[in-house]
Amino acid sequence: GVGFDWPDARGPLSKVREELDEVASLLTDDGTVRDPDALEGELGDLLFAVVNLCRKTGVHGALALDRTNAKFTRRYADMERLAQERGLVFSALTLEQQDELWDAVKLAE
């Protein structure tokens, strides 16, 4: 309300990239966390920046997240179904094999 805002969506998009880089800097090459407290703060900053991007683009953040959660749930169920159709035990598959199922489900949409 006092003008402390970006004129368009490019500002928050740039901020999302900046915050993502800061999150990445707190992870080691093997994916472990360097400083959990700092990571929490940077993830909070990243979420805040994403919400600002939603706001500037006219996207309702909570609805977008709900939609994505529903999509993930549907795709995951389809992955399990596809594995069963192929005679595979889903829980015994490697992450790479599960990812192949994920890609197949996405392609079928």
Side-chain angles (χ1 to χ4, degrees):
V2 296
F4 186 60
D5 200 2
W6 288 284
D8 57 48
R10 290 177 302 214
L13 178 59
S14 177
K15 193 66 173 171
V16 166
R17 290 180 175 134
E18 175 188 322
E19 296 299 342
L20 186 57
D21 287 344
E22 291 175 8
V23 166
S25 75
L26 292 168
L27 300 177
T28 65
D29 289 340
D30 66 356
T32 59
V33 177
R34 295 180 198 279
D35 181 341
D37 188 57
L39 180 62
E40 182 180 281
E42 292 303 336
L43 285 170
D45 291 349
L46 176 59
L47 289 169
F48 188 83
V50 169
V51 168
N52 264 324
L53 180 57
C54 288
R55 180 180 59 83
K56 288 304 276 190
T57 58
V59 171
H60 191 286
L63 295 178
L65 184 57
D66 287 346
R67 184 176 179 180
T68 295
N69 282 333
K71 179 174 57 176
F72 178 85
T73 300
R74 182 184 69 249
R75 285 180 179 173
Y76 194 89
D78 288 347
M79 287 171 53
E80 291 176 316
R81 178 193 46 74
L82 185 57
Q84 186 176 23
E85 287 174 2
R86 293 180 178 181
L88 304 170
V89 177
F90 188 80
S91 61
L93 299 177
T94 65
L95 180 57
E96 182 179 272
Q97 292 169 315
Q98 290 177 358
D99 199 41
E100 288 173 12
L101 291 174
W102 180 266
D103 290 341
V105 165
K106 276 182 64 175
L107 188 61
E109 288 184 345

